[in-house]
């Protein structure tokens, strides 16, 4: 008898940021993961370290932010620009916020912490769901075949300690191997180089002894002697990036290197008139960087790639790990929706189309940025250099929204509504209920605006946009509008929404648990009805005016997700209901007349569609048309595609013990 | 030859909140601690759990808050009052903020987390300084004698596993044993019972299944069937306190008990018309509580007691652990100042006088609170009961400031200036510079008002009042005033302050490191000159206008402690410089004219004295008079009294690696 081949939902190669986050998400949702890494231990020093403002919000949504911030990362609020001055010196020519206030970020700074500590938080999280990383181990072969149609991917993994190779079968293979990827090579996927120029960079982490006044800020320093980027780090450390060679140099050699001492000497000259001595060097590396983008992120929608496997660029804008995280969550929720029987397989195509477009934007930006950084280090102090410096600063400012992560806008597709491309068959009377793109508020494909509200059950001030955790569900943010406030007695708009969502055959009720009466969801306010939808209701009233038991049926089940729009916001000081105003439901942000709406947000926090509330069935009809683009037809069979039990192993920690009381569906 | 007796700076008995925090503080400052606990493992469930708003700020100052909050405690923002209604039911009669906005707390809520998790954070912190807790072990004998004058306390500790008793010698013995204290008993210190009435309480932690709408809020419920207090907990748990017996009952028996089922049944009746079933009980206990206060906290200023050893009361106001923490820090910094040669031994007397007065206030409050809570549970629904309910709510509201921790006001003494009691010999011209008590701003004995400022070196928005960590130093918060803003060129007031503090013979320079030129304090912005003083400078200017290298000499050494007063505050919307306005340095909180001042804050965050800035030596003369009350005369010998190296084993984590670069003084 041949030995039985072990099967997994997903085999993940590489335990860097992208691979770890894929595992964290899918493990929490009950999927069985085989995860390997070819390094014997997690990252000890150096490498990626910048967590951008939007990523901090994502990490909060994942319940990981507090654990990461407990390591006390450095925080970059401003960037200082230093330029050449007469006499071979440098002088500060300006400073600019790293995430300016017009972006309205919760955390308007970049957090700097070495990659190993961030990995540790995710590895600890994985341990809670019993997913462990085998190391050192490598992938030696893979193919997609029909030997077992349920597990079409065959993978050989070799343990590098024992030298034993084992064959596994999986539903999916995910490569987060980094820039040198065996999987990508085997698939013969090409890396296209956006920019023919490539660079050699030196990077050094350590404790610097200097009288340079901006050593705790992010700085770009251009001098007659070359250029440096300064990034503050945790534990009083500093990272210096120094460009060692560019393919535009007459004697360019991509293998050019430099010793620690050479880089230190170069830094000393650039820092003039300031001193620059090293108390300690923690990490040093020299590496060539090319701007590359993979042609494809998958060939067959079974073997996928993400992170540095698909896109490489210069490290100076601190985007690498952030892009990797967003690749991971985008991949994870779509796999979940397909495997749990919610959506058709075709949605997997949007992983590549959405994430590759973002990588392309990133490379475009990096391309210009690197070229300008390079140009301004020619050593000249004349008019041309000044112009180049100004262009560099202008580019930095113009791209703040993008680099902070809030500029990422997924293009219209089945998930991201656009009046031009989507739902052509909808009657125009209903279509008119869909809130059309407003430049500053509800923009499908972007994240929804943040707002503070008061949670009714416990009177806590909370971040509404992050109240539904990253649980794989579509989020229905219901805004009651001023006519639904409790002082008006009944809630006709909310009652109608409740009735129409709970009506047999609606998209919402088709995906409800079939054995609702046997299922104990008393302690689960995120998914009381369905694993695919979470509802949060915001009401125009003061918290003590709201009695949850008086709300329509649907909302009773979401008792911990009912909020009072009773806090003021400095951005909409004249609106009575700030949360309604911040999503554009109060005209001109002033007065008391707020419209009601359902704002649909994808599981990863990007806005899908927003529809005004009506007293009839129209609101749900519009939502029905939206969801019919990708939901499977007919009733959900109530079975999940995951190999372990369906419910998350680890629910929202704010609900704590809840998970233990949710019986498995299987 | 007799075996050499092992010596320690302090022997600490008991690893509950008070003992642990004493050890954490003193271990960080290099003292050698012997710490035992008679339980084999730390607290696993239950016990104290409420962290009040002021305590959260203290924990932040200690660098422990983020680690505690990473456990996701429940947060109580409001208290709901439920009273009897006709038909044996209960009805909500009102809600009230647990820490109302007039208190202006950074964290206006109580955090609820079981004591064991809080202990774990402190035990982990101790491990970093190599202090470990021996358990299970108990104290069997102690005496103060002259066998070794450097270590006058002789202590026998018995390991309860091995049954081996060992004799140690120490400079101090600290008992944090809890209400049943061997040390207190041996010292024959009496517990005085403020209130002759005592109570038997039942307390139950677990997961409750109920439709009671306020189960995630703190509630006091009075019903015909008895009374309950509801406290939400971490992990979806609830704590119920239920009074089982009172010495005012006709058949009172202090040993009366009740089973889990009896308490659950009683709760079910009280909760009517709401359901009340238990999914899980995590902890249950019945215990008699008397309100007791120890006559003395020490007899000889060598053997000290703190926490529950000295004061017991009902648990309902959530004060126990908070009072213990403040006992601990008050004890720790005073021991440090005596043992390091800064202050005379007489300052140790203020530990008892300050902390016992707070315990007395607490017992007064608890006395009234418990009596009213008891009275309102007589079962009557008549006018008398209603009056009692109202009195209970009124008492609750009136005491919010005290229970939040911000009402604690140490009385005038050598540390807390008062025009009536202190510095009688000071010339009146100089005395007039001392800012007299202003009811709402700078009140000696209380904590200083909070404010946000921008840190100049890294443009971070920070909490000024917490920027100097709990490092055992007096904090000199220098407010530059509007005339010292950089636009006015020179800084005559700041220059004068700098010159007079650095002048030979000043209190500041007498305690400077003697080997200043050999001491490397480049990375230590908290204590660049002296272990006893930390300076923070706040300037009336925008951050980019401030160049640290242009500041007077003193402030160059504190480069990481220079701040721009350039952020607005909703509490003083009309003041140009909000941080100056919040401490009362802008008249009527409006306009641009801010006075300069030095605000002296004790190492534990309580205000000591505030003196206006002048261009002459008067400011420092006034400070000199203040410090002469307790500083030793003559020059500091530069030696510390601690057994390990003088500098903290663990400096402010925001400065990170700095500690490693500070050479030991010894």
């Amino acid at each position: 008898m041949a030995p039985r081949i072990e099967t997994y939902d997903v085999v993940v190669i590489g335990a860097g940021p992208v691979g770890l986050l894929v595992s964290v998400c899918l493990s929490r949702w009950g999927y069985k993961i085989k995860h390997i890494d070819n390094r014997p231990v997690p990252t000890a020093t150096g490498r990626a370290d910048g967590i951008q403002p939007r990523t901090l919000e994502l990490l909060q949504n994942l319940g990981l932010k507090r654990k990461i911030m407990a390591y006390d990362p450095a925080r970059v609020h401003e960037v200082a620009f230093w330029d050449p001055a007469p006499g071979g010196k440098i002088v500060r020519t300006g400073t600019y916020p790293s995430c300016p206030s017009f972006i309205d970020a919760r955390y308007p700074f970049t957090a700097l912490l070495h990659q190993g500590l961030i990995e540790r938080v995710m590895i600890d999280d994985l341990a809670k769901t019993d997913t462990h990383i085998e190391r050192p181990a490598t992938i030696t072969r893979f193919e997609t075949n029909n030997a077992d149609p349920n597990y079409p991917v065959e993978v050989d993994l070799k343990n590098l300690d024992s030298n034993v190779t084992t064959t596994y079968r999986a539903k999916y293979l995910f490569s987060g191997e980094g820039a040198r990827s065996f999987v990508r090579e085997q698939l013969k996927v090409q890396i296209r180089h956006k920019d023919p120029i490539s660079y050699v960079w030196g990077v050094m982490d350590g404790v610097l002894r200097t009288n340079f006044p901006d050593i705790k800020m992010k700085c770009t320093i251009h001098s007659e002697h070359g250029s440096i980027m300064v990034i503050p780090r945790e534990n009083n450390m500093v990272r210096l990036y120094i460009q060692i060679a560019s393919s535009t140099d007459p004697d360019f050699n991509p293998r050019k290197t430099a010793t620690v001492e050479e880089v230190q000497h170069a830094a000393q000259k650039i820092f003039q008139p300031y001193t620059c001595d090293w108390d300690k060097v923690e990490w040093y590396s020299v590496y060539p960087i090319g701007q590359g983008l993979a042609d494809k992120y998958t060939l067959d929608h079974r073997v996928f790639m993400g992170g540095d496997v698909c896109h490489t660029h210069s490290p100076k804008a601190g985007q690498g790990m952030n892009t990797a995280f967003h690749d991971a969550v985008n991949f994870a929720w779509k796999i979940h929706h397909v495997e749990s029987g919610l959506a058709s397989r075709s949605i997997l195509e949007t992983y590549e189309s959405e994430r590759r477009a973002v990588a392309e934007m990133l490379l475009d930006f990096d391309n210009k940025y690197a070229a300008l950084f390079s140009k301004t280090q020619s050593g000249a102090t004349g008019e041309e250099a000044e112009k180049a410096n100004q262009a560099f600063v202008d580019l930095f400012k113009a791209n703040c929204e993008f680099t902070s992560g809030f500029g990422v806008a997924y293009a219209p597709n089945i998930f991201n509504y656009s009046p031009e491309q989507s739902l052509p068959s909808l009657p125009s009377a209903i279509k008119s209920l869909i809130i059309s793109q407003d430049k500053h508020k509800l923009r499908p494909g972007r994240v929804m605006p943040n707002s503070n509200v008061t949670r009714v059950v416990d009177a806590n001030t909370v971040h509404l946009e992050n109240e539904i955790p990253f649980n794989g569900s579509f989020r229905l943010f219901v805004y009651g509008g001023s006519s639904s406030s409790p002082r008006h007695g009944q809630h006709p708009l909310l009652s109608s929404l409740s009735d129409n969502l709970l009506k047999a055959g609606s998209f919402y009720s088709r995906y409800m648990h079939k054995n609702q009466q046997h299922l104990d969801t008393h302690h689960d306010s995120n998914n009381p009805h369905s694993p695919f939808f979470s509802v949060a209701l915001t009401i125009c009233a003061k918290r003590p005016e709201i009695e949850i038991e008086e709300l329509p049926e649907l909302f009773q089940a979401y008792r911990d997700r009912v909020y009072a729009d009773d806090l003021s916001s400095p951005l909409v000081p004249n609106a009575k209901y700030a949360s309604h105003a911040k999503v554009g439901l109060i005209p001109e942000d002033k007065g008391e007349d707020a419209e009601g709406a359902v704002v649909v947000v994808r599981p990863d926090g990007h806005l899908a569609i927003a529809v005004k509330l009506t007293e009839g069935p129209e609101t749900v009809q519009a939502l029905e048309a939206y969801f019919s683009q990708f939901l499977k037809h007919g009733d959900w069979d109530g079975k999940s595609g995951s190999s372990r039990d369906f419910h998350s192993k680890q629910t929202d920690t704010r609900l704590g013990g809840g998970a233990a009381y949710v019986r498995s569906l299987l």
Side-chain angles (χ1 to χ4, degrees), chain A residues 180-198:
Chain A
R180 274 168 292 182
S181 164
F182 172 83
V183 171
R184 192 188 64 220
E185 200 183 282
Q186 294 290 304
L187 293 177
K188 299 190 172 40
V189 168
Q190 292 301 306
I191 291 283
R192 303 277 157 183
H193 291 274
K194 195 100 200 153
D195 180 2
I197 303 173
S198 62

Side-chain angles (χ1 to χ4, degrees), chain A residues 93-350:
Chain A
T93 53
T95 63
Y96 195 73
S98 130
C99 181
S101 59
F102 68 80
I103 294 175
D104 189 25
R106 288 275 179 196
Y107 313 106
F109 54 83
T110 307
L112 284 305
L113 190 67
H114 96 72
Q115 185 175 325
L117 295 172
I118 299 161
E119 288 175 7
R120 193 188 297 177
V121 168
M122 292 195 280
I123 291 169
D124 288 351
D125 196 83
L126 280 175
K128 295 183 199 160
T129 52
D130 257 338
T131 298
H132 299 279
I133 293 149
E134 184 182 338
R135 37 170 109 229
T138 192
I139 180 169
T140 54
R141 186 188 67 87
F142 67 92
E143 63 172 58
T144 310
N145 62 36
N146 286 320
D148 179 347
N150 289 323
Y151 296 92
V153 189
E154 197 174 299
V155 191
D156 285 355
L157 303 180
K158 178 180 176 181
N159 184 299
L160 297 174
D161 269 342
S162 66
N163 292 317
V164 173
T165 298
T166 312
T167 301
Y168 300 94
R169 296 198 70 89
K171 292 175 180 161
Y172 299 93
L173 171 64
F174 183 85
S175 161
E177 296 164 279
R180 274 168 292 182
S181 164
F182 172 83
V183 171
R184 192 188 64 220
E185 200 183 282
Q186 294 290 304
L187 293 177
K188 299 190 172 40
V189 168
Q190 292 301 306
I191 291 283
R192 303 277 157 183
H193 291 274
K194 195 100 200 153
D195 180 2
I197 303 173
S198 62
Y199 302 92
V200 178
W201 281 88
V203 54
M204 194 179 293
D205 283 356
V207 177
L208 201 57
R209 177 175 298 253
T210 176
N211 57 357
F212 178 66
D214 289 353
I215 197 66
K216 287 182 189 285
M217 304 248 259
K218 177 170 173 177
C219 304
T220 63
I221 306 180
H222 296 122
S223 85
E224 287 181 22
H225 310 288
S227 296
I228 269 185
M229 181 163 283
V230 177
I231 317 259
R233 295 284 307 266
E234 76 279 9
N235 281 334
N236 201 32
M237 288 196 299
V238 178
R239 166 168 289 190
L240 296 190
Y241 282 114
I242 187 160
Q243 191 174 305
I244 290 173
S246 154
S247 58
T248 55
D249 297 345
D251 57 344
F252 178 64
N253 170 4
R255 287 194 186 72
K256 180 169 177 181
T257 190
T259 64
V260 167
E261 290 70 25
E262 283 164 354
V263 167
Q264 288 178 339
H265 184 70
Q268 218 151 26
K269 284 183 77 176
I270 294 170
F271 268 106
Q272 283 177 59
Y274 301 101
T275 61
C276 171
D277 300 298
W278 291 83
D279 278 341
K280 175 182 157 190
V281 173
E282 184 171 290
W283 183 65
Y284 174 66
S285 183
V286 170
Y287 49 95
I289 287 282
Q291 287 159 340
L293 177 60
D295 275 349
K296 302 293 296 171
Y297 282 30
T298 179
L299 296 181
D300 59 358
H301 298 100
R302 287 290 173 182
V303 179
F304 286 88
M305 300 174 286
D308 287 0
V309 181
C310 300
H311 36 76
T312 58
H313 47 85
S314 88
K316 289 188 314 300
Q319 295 298 312
M321 184 164 57
N322 299 276
T323 310
F325 282 154
H326 291 281
D327 283 356
V329 295
N330 195 299
F331 172 75
W333 74 261
K334 290 170 182 173
I335 289 291
H336 175 48
H337 281 202
V338 168
E339 289 305 310
S340 56
L342 179 76
S344 56
R345 289 194 62 78
S346 62
I347 69 163
L348 295 180
E349 289 165 21
T350 64

Side-chain angles (χ1 to χ4, degrees), chain A residues 596-616:
Chain A
V598 180
V599 176
V600 180
V601 173
R602 306 162 20 143
D604 54 14
H606 287 259
L607 192 80
I609 189 172
V611 184
K612 287 181 193 163
L613 279 188
T614 60
E615 230 182 292

Side-chain angles (χ1 to χ4, degrees), chain A residues 401 406-410 416 441 443-448 605-608:
Chain A
E401 197 188 17
F406 290 95
V408 169
Y410 292 139
N416 315 313
K441 310 276 180 173
R443 297 173 291 185
R446 297 214 175 204
V447 294
M448 73 182 276
H606 287 259
L607 192 80

Side-chain angles (χ1 to χ4, degrees), chain A residues 601-633:
Chain A
V601 173
R602 306 162 20 143
D604 54 14
H606 287 259
L607 192 80
I609 189 172
V611 184
K612 287 181 193 163
L613 279 188
T614 60
E615 230 182 292
E618 300 82 4
T619 305
V620 173
Q621 283 166 358
L623 295 175
E624 196 75 57
Y626 167 78
F627 282 108
S628 70
Q629 298 178 98
F630 52 87
L631 287 196
K632 280 193 169 173
H633 298 294

